[in-house]
Amino acid sequence: MVEERKEWIIAVDDDPGLLDSFKRILTRRYRVSLFSTPAEALEAIRTEGCPDLVITDQRMPVMTGTQLLEEILTIHPESVGMIVTGFTERGDLIGAINNARVFAYVVKPWAAEDLLETVDRALRMSTARRARKNLNEDLVKIQHQLGVLNSQVTADKTTLAESFAEVRRQLVELSERSS
């Protein structure tokens, strides 16, 4: 029996209580990795690949959630991020949207059902981005193959034209000898 793939969510928050909340709410449906620092999350992403969703607190020591998501975008441009925060500063919100392409900005306290609904929508976006990335990669491969085939056809046309020219030359020579 093939096991169904569970979407991988990374949650980053310096508050252990919120990490426990994420674990309690999300682990029934998803594979969840919890990190108390952005550095730990980045290391996991560098070694394990692109998660389906990154949920991060905005205000953390050393690095903000927006900065973390911006860094992740440099590693995996198709990544999807969500910020969960108790603060709604306009500059943070604008930076998150413009620079980190944040899917959602969720304000604490949140209801579990609302969080799950937002996570589900974010995961649909993640699936669409991954599909688009895969299609683009396939398109690049096909374009390369077409280029190779075009080169072969061009070479074959040149060889064929040279062969016709040689046959024509021999016919002319034969015709001149027969006259």
Side-chain angles (χ1 to χ4, degrees), residues 30-50:
Y30 311 108
R31 181 170 68 103
V32 180
S33 299
L34 306 170
F35 300 99
S36 58
T37 69
E40 293 170 334
L42 285 169
E43 181 59 31
I45 289 168
R46 285 186 180 105
T47 58
E48 297 180 44
C50 185

Side-chain angles (χ1 to χ4, degrees), residues 62-87:
V62 183
M63 181 183 284
T64 66
T66 301
Q67 291 168 331
L68 170 61
L69 294 174
E70 287 176 30
E71 180 70 23
I72 293 169
L73 282 174
T74 66
I75 303 166
H76 296 290
E78 72 279 9
S79 66
V80 175
M82 239 172 84
I83 291 181
V84 178
T85 186
F87 306 94

Side-chain angles (χ1 to χ4, degrees), residues 140-154:
V140 166
K141 289 176 189 173
I142 290 169
Q143 287 173 330
H144 174 73
Q145 290 171 343
L146 285 173
V148 168
L149 287 173
N150 188 41
S151 296
Q152 290 173 345
V153 166
T154 301

Side-chain angles (χ1 to χ4, degrees), residues 3-23:
E3 185 177 319
E4 186 178 325
R5 179 189 178 276
K6 279 188 165 184
E7 289 95 345
W8 179 33
I9 297 174
I10 286 183
V12 186
D13 202 309
D14 58 332
D15 180 342
L18 285 173
L19 288 177
D20 285 342
S21 292
F22 288 132
K23 181 179 181 180

